Amino acid sequence: MRHWLSSFLFTILLVSNAWAGGDGKALYQEHCASCHGETRLGGTGPALLPSNLGRLRAKKAGGVITQGRVGTQMPAFKDTLSEDEITSLVSFIYEHPTIAPSWKKADIAASRNMAASTANVTAPTYKADPLNLFVVVETGDHHATIMDGDTFDLLTRFPTRFALHGGPKFTPDGRYVFFMSRDGWVMKYDLWALAVVGEVRAGINSRNIAISKDGKHLAVANYLPHTLVILDTTDLTVEKIFDVADRKKNSSRVSAVYQAPQRDSFIAALKDVPEIWEIATDPNAEPVFEGLVHSHEKGMVEGLASSKGLFALRRIEVPEPLDDFFFDPQYRNLIGSARGKAAVVVNLNVGRDIARIPLPGLPHLGSGIAWTYKGRKIMATPHLKEGRLTVIDMSDWSVLKTIETKGPGFFMRSHENTPYAWTDVFFGPNKDLLHVIDKRTLEIVKTLQPAPGKTAAHIEFDRDGSHAIASIWEKDGAIVIYDAATLEEVKRIPMSKPSGKYNVWNKITFSEGTSH
Ligand code: DHE
């Protein structure tokens, strides 16, 4: 009887849902699956499963579907879907999937696919300087292009996985580069042989990758599952999987992972718990003493944790979850974003927060760059929600200056050999502008408009800093090469939404004007 009644009520619910706003599942397949995955496991967009939506209340999720999300590719559906249809969609994405998603060591191993070895190639197979190559990621049609950084000739172009995200990472000798797609695929590419070496799927929904100082290990930060996967860079086999959770065993997504070269470690930002992780990449790393592990539930001490050597884990407790890290050039301090409203400075040596900088307007700290201004070290960061750059004095973490821009920006770049820093105006009516700032005066000295009406974004310098290269961030886009001294255009090369470009030398030397 009870069973009959509940089926009856369930049917009524379904029917009324269908009447009200259609079938959430069908709407999902039509409007969301291409970015969020057919089984909601994620793709360009994040996974849409209750476990991933944990901190996002249903009402807010409806708002995101209606209005879109600033700083991401999530569009607004207010003109495409009715309110009732959006309600149906929201209920669908909060439903638990019938089969729980998982991605374990065996799944990773089974996805691994190695191409023919390029070990017989003992030198670059072209004349260009292998350390002044550019890797250009073209997300318009999911390809990558390799460009000679001296002549700007294109050496080759090859298909990549769907929706690469984050910077590709290079081995210290500059020979191999690793790409990651939002759905967890990691590809290894040989820049001497100009050939794909192999690929593996390390997660269902991944954030970014980092390579160890010695180039032997590649860390993959995952949102789904909640893991940090370490791969052997030689053959892409799994070396270790960290199931990410704080000391109280609260599981967490990993926002991002970074290499800290001076520390010979990986630093990971955790999305859901107030901890930062440091993982040793030095086989002789000193023991890390974790201290007593308390269990509040049981009201007792559970034990002592300590590890040493390769992959030893150090937990740094912080007042609240932090992500989007900027590191000072010595990797002594990091600045993390606290829910986009403030920046918290964490000293990695002492292992605690040492300053808090109120920074509204969603600072994009990961795009920040540092330089020396009047004898002191400063950093500057764009904001994703406000048209300004904030300049911070790193000696006392005070705000030195606010530079007004023509709109919110995404990326900022410079080079040791140029007096200028460049930033884009990624959002809003002035998305086609690039500002050039004089690092000596902290003033905007020129505003460029490479293609009126088209988004201009992401600058990267060549090896000696003599040229700055910007993207026209459109499907029928281009890269535009500027003389970094005269700020005049030198050359324009058509490309398909060149989302980012990466110079081998600047990356492997950790140039202070670029991302790492
Ligand atoms: Fe990114 C880098 C996080 C949205 C293009 N982005 C990064 C990094 C992080 C990050 C942590 C540094 C990784 C690295 O290089 O190792 N990005 C996030 C977000 O949290 C955010 C705001 C939301 C999200 O959807 O994940 C976000 N990013 C975007 C986009 O919408 C962009 C513009 C288009 C896209 O391709 O998704 C975008 N992000 C990029 C690019 C880089 C990047 C091109 C590499 C920059 C570099 O020069 O190193």
Side-chain angles (χ1 to χ4, degrees):
M1 170 67 180
R2 200 176 208 183
H3 173 74
W4 174 85
L5 190 63
S6 60
S7 312
F8 176 69
L9 288 174
F10 184 61
T11 311
I12 298 252
L13 197 76
L14 274 185
V15 171
S16 62
N17 189 35
W19 278 339
D23 176 0
K25 189 173 178 184
L27 288 167
Y28 177 87
Q29 290 305 330
E30 188 183 344
H31 299 283
C32 320
S34 59
C35 289
H36 295 280
E38 279 185 25
T39 48
R40 295 189 281 150
L41 293 188
T44 340
L48 296 180
L49 298 164
S51 54
N52 292 65
L53 294 163
R55 293 196 314 172
L56 182 71
R57 278 175 294 119
K59 199 171 158 206
K60 222 167 166 200
V64 173
I65 299 173
T66 311
Q67 305 292 346
R69 198 194 263 284
V70 178
T72 75
Q73 294 181 314
M74 174 72 189
F77 282 91
K78 60 177 182 305
D79 299 330
T80 319
L81 297 173
S82 69
E83 258 180 52
D84 288 341
E85 285 175 324
I86 290 174
T87 308
S88 299
L89 257 179
V90 171
S91 355
F92 176 67
I93 61 176
Y94 281 87
E95 269 173 31
H96 283 279
T98 33
I99 302 165
S102 85
W103 200 251
K104 298 207 161 73
K105 192 172 179 179
D107 300 302
I108 302 175
S111 72
R112 190 172 149 266
N113 180 15
M114 301 306 284
S117 168
T118 56
N120 59 333
V121 176
T122 52
T125 51
Y126 43 83
K127 285 215 177 81
D129 172 3
L131 297 182
N132 193 22
L133 297 183
F134 280 89
V135 171
V136 188
V137 171
E138 296 180 67
T139 50
D141 62 355
H142 312 287
H143 277 69
T145 292
I146 309 299
M147 181 172 77
D148 179 339
D150 290 308
T151 61
F152 306 117
D153 290 336
L154 306 185
L155 302 186
T156 187
R157 187 170 195 268
F158 54 92
T160 66
R161 284 277 167 180
F162 182 78
L164 295 189
H165 180 237
K169 299 291 146 54
F170 299 85
T171 48
D173 59 0
R175 173 165 182 178
Y176 297 101
V177 60
F178 297 85
F179 301 90
M180 186 215 74
S181 74
R182 283 192 186 258
D183 58 1
W185 284 98
V186 173
M187 179 205 264
K188 177 177 178 179
Y189 186 84
D190 185 340
L191 287 169
W192 286 7
L194 298 180
V196 174
V197 180
E199 61 170 6
V200 67
R201 189 174 187 189
I204 293 171
N205 183 357
S206 301
R207 299 289 297 161
N208 81 325
I209 50 177
I211 193 160
S212 61
K213 184 183 177 182
D214 61 9
K216 291 183 177 167
H217 319 285
L218 192 84
V220 186
N222 287 329
Y223 261 10
L224 192 70
H226 293 184
T227 53
L228 185 75
V229 174
I230 311 230
L231 303 171
D232 182 325
T233 52
T234 333
D235 57 5
L236 300 178
T237 51
V238 175
E239 290 188 277
K240 187 166 176 84
I241 299 180
F242 287 92
D243 289 312
V244 178
D246 67 6
R247 286 172 166 200
K248 296 167 196 156
K249 305 205 169 34
N250 297 307
S251 168
S252 177
R253 294 169 286 176
V254 186
S255 289
V257 60
Y258 309 84
Q259 185 205 144
Q262 285 87 339
R263 311 176 67 82
D264 203 344
S265 64
F266 290 130
I267 308 278
L270 308 190
K271 185 85 180 164
D272 308 305
V273 296
E275 284 186 8
I276 292 169
W277 280 16
E278 177 163 28
I279 294 163
T281 46
D282 169 9
N284 303 312
E286 296 287 317
V288 186
F289 177 62
E290 287 277 337
L292 305 176
V293 181
H294 293 274
S295 165
H296 292 297
E297 295 76 30
K298 295 179 199 157
M300 55 185 260
V301 171
E302 280 196 326
L304 302 172
S306 148
S307 57
K308 63 175 181 170
L310 193 59
F311 309 142
L313 168 66
R314 174 183 176 222
R315 295 167 189 267
I316 299 171
E317 289 186 4
V318 283
E320 59 198 296
L322 300 176
D323 61 7
D324 193 18
F325 291 171
F326 168 84
F327 294 88
D328 69 14
Q330 290 75 37
Y331 283 78
R332 256 186 245 124
N333 299 288
L334 69 76
I335 313 182
S337 171
R339 302 208 166 92
K341 294 197 177 90
V344 175
V345 184
V346 176
N347 183 290
L348 293 166
N349 290 354
V350 297
R352 65 173 174 80
D353 53 306
I354 55 163
R356 190 179 179 90
I357 315 165
L359 272 190
L362 205 57
H364 195 208
L365 294 164
S367 278
I369 54 167
W371 69 88
T372 305
Y373 169 74
K374 295 189 177 166
R376 47 190 164 166
K377 214 69 199 166
I378 60 167
M379 69 83 66
T381 177
H383 292 252
L384 296 174
K385 281 196 178 163
E386 282 173 17
R388 63 193 164 89
L389 301 167
T390 301
V391 183
I392 295 168
D393 184 337
M394 290 201 283
S395 61
D396 59 3
W397 307 109
S398 61
V399 173
L400 186 67
K401 183 166 182 180
T402 299
I403 303 171
E404 301 298 325
T405 61
K406 291 281 186 190
F410 212 97
F411 300 107
M412 195 167 180
R413 280 290 191 282
S414 188
H415 189 280
E416 288 82 349
N417 297 343
T418 174
Y420 302 123
W422 296 54
T423 189
D424 50 41
V425 181
F426 198 78
F427 305 102
N430 298 317
K431 62 181 186 176
D432 54 359
L433 300 182
L434 296 171
H435 291 305
V436 182
I437 295 127
D438 191 323
K439 294 193 283 187
R440 298 158 298 191
T441 60
L442 308 183
E443 301 289 343
I444 294 176
V445 289
K446 191 155 187 176
T447 296
L448 300 160
Q449 190 183 33
K454 296 187 172 180
T455 307
H458 195 276
I459 296 93
E460 174 79 313
F461 284 80
D462 55 2
R463 178 178 174 161
D464 65 4
S466 60
H467 295 88
I469 306 180
S471 290
I472 308 293
W473 194 299
E474 306 279 342
K475 202 144 184 178
D476 58 344
I479 55 167
V480 184
I481 300 158
Y482 289 94
D483 182 311
T486 64
L487 310 181
E488 295 299 324
E489 183 175 331
V490 173
K491 192 171 179 176
R492 187 172 287 229
I493 305 170
M495 292 208 182
S496 181
K497 203 173 185 189
S499 68
K501 57 209 84 61
Y502 310 88
N503 179 272
V504 176
W505 178 260
N506 293 340
K507 295 297 171 195
I508 64 175
T509 57
F510 277 67
S511 161
E512 71 174 10
T514 191
S515 62
H516 304 131

